Amino acid sequence: MATITINSTGNMNSALDYAGNEKRAMKNNTREWLRQNGVKEQAINTINGRVVHKAGANGLTVFESHDPQLATSLREVKNHFKIERQLNHQTAKKNQAIRIKQNFPRNDLDPLNPEDWQKANDLGVELMERAYPDYKAAVYTHLDSQQHQLHNHIIMSRVNSMTGKKFRDANAGDSLTHFRDINDEISREQGWNVLQRNKLVSTRQVQRDLAQKGIPSYITDVQEQALSVILNPKVKKLDDFQAEMGYQGFEVTQRGKSGVLSFHWTDQDNKKRQVRSKRMGALFSAASLKKIFEIPPEQRAEVLQQQGVSLPGKAQNQAQLKEKPQQPQTASQPERKVTNNARPTTERPSNNDTITQLMQNNHAKIGDNRAKTERLRTKTRRTRELRAGERPKYHELAREFTTGHRRLTANLEGQQKLATNQYQQSGHAITKGLGNRVTNIFNNGIKSLKQGAQGASKQLSHLGKGLMGVMGSIIQSAYQIQQQNRYIAKRNAYYAQQQQRRNHRRQQEDEIER
């Protein structure tokens, strides 16, 4: 059965360069391997670089031809995707495409059979048309892996060709599951064996199930260890927290300026693990820890309990001991005298002071949120003004495109008429010249027959070769004109489809403005 792997890429051009660059040589001496196993040289010469076959899916037109002028180049594919991103305002240089690799075992598709090369490419196109028909994709077929297996490199655009929105998974792994299900259906239709795939439960789902059942997990262990370090009176800043966690066997690193912390450690099974502060809770972010370390160490446990944080066992016992009232001294317990060398006791702030401080912090956060909301409103207003100013430019660009398309269509029609006239003229000239040539050759043959049987045989052989050469040239010229007509027709269809989509988008914008 065919297998599927999928990953995301930020730069679509890089993915297309790897999959569809026809100037790169094949790896693992694949051409010599094909010759050694009896593949015809004519089939080997049709391979362009690493690409055995190529095609477009879901509205993307990719022509394949031995003539470089008729075939769709890699630059044209890149420009097509670039224009689509610009028209839909999806020009961010991240998450531009999805790369899908479809592998075919050698017992399903034979890499030594050129017909299976085309079949593998057709199955890749069918996979995209069934899975996500609203997203354009380019399909490139290779066979230069180490095992010389046929496989497709499918580069799918994240821009929806109908809505202009970006492709996103509702849940992590949904697209991979969807691709695999469609791939299994195609494999069953081809009569291939399909293995029963177990549905793996994600790590986050396992953590949720354990938390609901009350079973501690490795994230719970990290949380308890981090809380014990937070309540350590020696830890007064974030650097101290990272150093103390390092002594406990946890490497804590900060990811850029986002304030997200990553905890790395090795468990009892000598397995490396990693968890981010986002999954542990908002309390363990860099910003929250900095605010906590501003509180005196003896008040941290009480403040955390007031915020609803469940403390680990040792810290909770310490907090309970602090909350117990002081017992009066009895006769058996003599009063301790404080000497001048003893440290003076500091008065502990009351709960009202702590609550006042928390309320002040909350008011400050509310003020910050209001300021952020106002900035977002201002930014949204400016964006709307800019878009309103760009609409005339867009309409002008659309008019220029329409004018250029009409000119190009007129030029293509003129070239088609010129090519047809040349073909007719060349056909008349060839027919006339062929008649004269046949007459001369036939007369010479009759003369040679009179001279002797051996000479007549040679002349007849020469006559047959001449006729075959002339007929071959006629067929070749007719085939070239037919290919050129097909290319012009496909081009016209492509520009008509693009114009129809632009008109549809323009109608949607007009309806929104109304």
Side-chain angles (χ1 to χ4, degrees):
M1 61 167 289
T3 58
I4 291 290
T5 57
I6 181 174
N7 60 353
S8 180
T9 177
N11 192 340
M12 174 175 279
N13 291 340
S14 299
L16 289 172
D17 284 333
Y18 179 81
N21 195 341
E22 299 177 350
K23 296 182 180 179
R24 292 185 178 181
M26 302 183 76
K27 300 187 294 185
N28 301 316
N29 297 324
T30 304
R31 290 183 181 271
E32 296 180 2
W33 178 79
L34 292 173
R35 293 189 180 96
Q36 292 174 1
N37 288 274
V39 180
K40 294 182 179 180
E41 192 68 25
Q42 183 180 1
I44 298 175
N45 293 334
T46 60
I47 301 174
N48 296 322
R50 298 180 60 194
V51 180
V52 177
H53 280 290
K54 61 182 180 181
N58 302 332
L60 177 64
T61 305
V62 178
F63 299 127
E64 190 173 23
S65 175
H66 302 300
D67 189 354
Q69 295 181 355
L70 298 178
T72 304
S73 64
L74 183 62
R75 180 179 294 179
E76 292 176 346
V77 177
K78 291 180 180 179
N79 291 335
H80 179 86
F81 284 123
K82 182 179 180 181
I83 292 171
E84 184 183 33
R85 291 194 299 271
Q86 290 177 349
L87 290 176
N88 293 285
H89 304 286
Q90 299 288 354
T91 56
K93 294 183 179 180
K94 60 180 181 179
N95 295 332
Q96 293 182 352
I98 297 177
R99 292 184 293 189
I100 304 100
K101 187 176 180 182
Q102 186 181 24
N103 294 294
F104 301 96
R106 298 179 66 174
N107 56 353
D108 291 338
L109 292 181
D110 187 7
L112 300 177
N113 186 4
E115 294 181 357
D116 286 349
W117 301 353
Q118 182 64 50
K119 186 177 181 180
N121 190 266
D122 295 339
L123 292 177
V125 175
E126 184 179 358
L127 174 68
M128 284 305 308
E129 291 177 348
R130 288 194 189 183
Y132 295 102
D134 293 339
Y135 296 88
K136 296 181 181 180
V139 183
Y140 297 95
T141 305
H142 296 184
L143 54 79
D144 57 347
S145 60
Q146 293 183 354
Q147 302 297 328
H148 297 295
Q149 291 182 346
L150 283 168
H151 59 277
N152 290 326
H153 290 276
I154 305 173
I155 313 300
M156 184 185 91
S157 173
R158 280 185 174 270
V159 180
N160 191 313
S161 58
M162 300 303 294
T163 63
K165 296 182 179 180
K166 210 167 206 179
F167 175 84
R168 298 186 188 279
D169 278 342
N171 297 309
D174 285 352
S175 58
L176 177 60
T177 304
H178 185 55
F179 272 118
R180 285 178 173 174
D181 292 340
I182 300 299
N183 185 61
D184 291 346
E185 293 178 3
I186 295 174
S187 299
R188 292 189 187 93
E189 293 174 1
Q190 296 296 326
W192 300 337
N193 294 326
V194 178
L195 300 177
Q196 188 66 27
R197 185 172 66 252
N198 295 326
K199 294 185 178 181
L200 301 177
V201 183
S202 64
T203 307
R204 297 193 177 187
Q205 185 64 36
V206 172
Q207 298 300 325
R208 295 192 197 102
D209 295 342
L210 292 176
Q212 291 177 358
K213 295 178 181 179
I215 303 174
S217 62
Y218 68 91
I219 295 181
T220 307
D221 297 337
V222 180
Q223 289 174 342
E224 293 181 354
Q225 191 67 35
L227 281 172
S228 62
V229 174
I230 290 172
L231 298 176
N232 190 345
K234 295 181 181 180
V235 178
K236 299 181 180 179
K237 54 183 179 179
L238 186 60
D239 294 339
D240 298 340
F241 174 78
Q242 293 177 338
E244 187 66 24
M245 289 294 290
Y247 295 146
Q248 302 295 336
F250 295 87
E251 182 184 358
V252 182
T253 58
Q254 185 172 356
R255 299 174 60 85
K257 299 180 180 180
S258 60
V260 179
L261 298 179
S262 296
F263 295 80
H264 307 264
W265 75 98
T266 304
D267 60 6
Q268 296 178 355
D269 299 332
N270 199 21
K271 182 178 179 180
K272 294 183 178 180
R273 291 190 176 275
Q274 174 185 355
V275 65
R276 296 181 184 177
S277 59
K278 289 182 179 180
R279 296 182 61 187
M280 294 173 60
L283 175 65
F284 301 96
S285 64
S288 299
L289 290 176
K290 289 178 182 179
K291 292 181 180 180
I292 292 173
F293 293 142
E294 293 176 358
I295 302 173
E298 61 272 8
Q299 301 179 19
R300 292 175 188 170
E302 183 179 356
V303 174
L304 291 176
Q305 283 182 340
Q306 291 176 358
Q307 294 181 356
V309 179
S310 58
L311 302 179
K314 294 182 181 180
Q316 193 171 3
N317 294 333
Q318 293 177 4
Q320 291 176 358
L321 289 174
K322 291 180 181 179
E323 291 176 358
K324 287 183 179 180
Q326 186 177 2
Q327 297 179 358
Q329 294 181 353
T330 59
S332 61
Q333 295 177 350
E335 184 179 358
R336 295 180 62 183
K337 293 182 179 181
V338 180
T339 60
N340 294 331
N341 295 330
R343 295 181 180 178
T345 58
T346 59
E347 293 184 358
R348 182 176 178 181
S350 62
N351 292 334
N352 293 331
D353 297 338
T354 305
I355 294 172
T356 303
Q357 184 178 1
L358 291 174
M359 291 180 65
Q360 291 177 356
N361 293 336
N362 290 334
H363 285 304
K365 290 181 180 178
I366 292 172
D368 294 340
N369 291 334
R370 288 178 178 174
K372 290 180 181 178
T373 304
E374 189 62 29
R375 287 197 296 269
L376 288 174
R377 289 177 179 173
T378 305
K379 187 176 181 180
T380 304
R381 196 182 305 113
R382 292 178 180 175
T383 304
R384 290 177 179 174
E385 293 175 356
L386 290 174
R387 288 185 178 178
E390 289 178 356
R391 283 175 185 171
K393 297 181 181 179
Y394 172 76
H395 291 307
E396 184 178 357
L397 180 62
R399 293 191 196 95
E400 293 179 357
F401 179 82
T402 304
T403 305
H405 174 255
R406 291 175 180 173
R407 293 176 181 174
L408 180 61
T409 304
N411 292 333
L412 291 175
E413 291 177 354
Q415 292 179 3
Q416 185 178 5
K417 292 181 181 179
L418 180 61
T420 304
N421 294 332
Q422 292 178 355
Y423 171 70
Q424 293 177 354
Q425 293 177 2
S426 61
H428 291 307
I430 290 171
T431 304
K432 185 177 180 181
L434 179 62
N436 296 332
R437 188 174 180 181
V438 170
T439 303
N440 294 332
I441 293 174
F442 185 73
N443 293 331
N444 293 332
I446 292 175
K447 292 179 181 178
S448 63
L449 283 173
K450 292 180 180 180
Q451 293 176 0
Q454 185 175 4
S457 177
K458 292 181 181 180
Q459 291 294 330
L460 288 174
S461 176
H462 179 68
L463 172 64
K465 290 180 181 180
L467 291 173
M468 291 297 294
V470 173
M471 294 301 297
S473 62
I474 294 173
I475 292 171
Q476 185 176 4
S477 61
Y479 176 75
Q480 290 178 355
I481 293 172
Q482 184 180 8
Q483 290 292 330
Q484 189 173 6
N485 292 336
R486 287 181 180 177
Y487 172 76
I488 293 170
K490 289 182 179 179
R491 282 287 183 184
N492 292 336
Y494 169 74
Y495 284 118
Q497 186 179 12
Q498 291 295 326
Q499 184 64 28
Q500 184 179 2
R501 289 180 178 171
R502 287 186 178 85
N503 293 335
H504 180 66
R505 286 185 58 83
R506 192 178 301 166
Q507 291 176 1
Q508 290 181 347
E509 290 180 357
D510 294 337
E511 290 177 359
I512 292 171
E513 290 178 357
R514 291 173 185 175

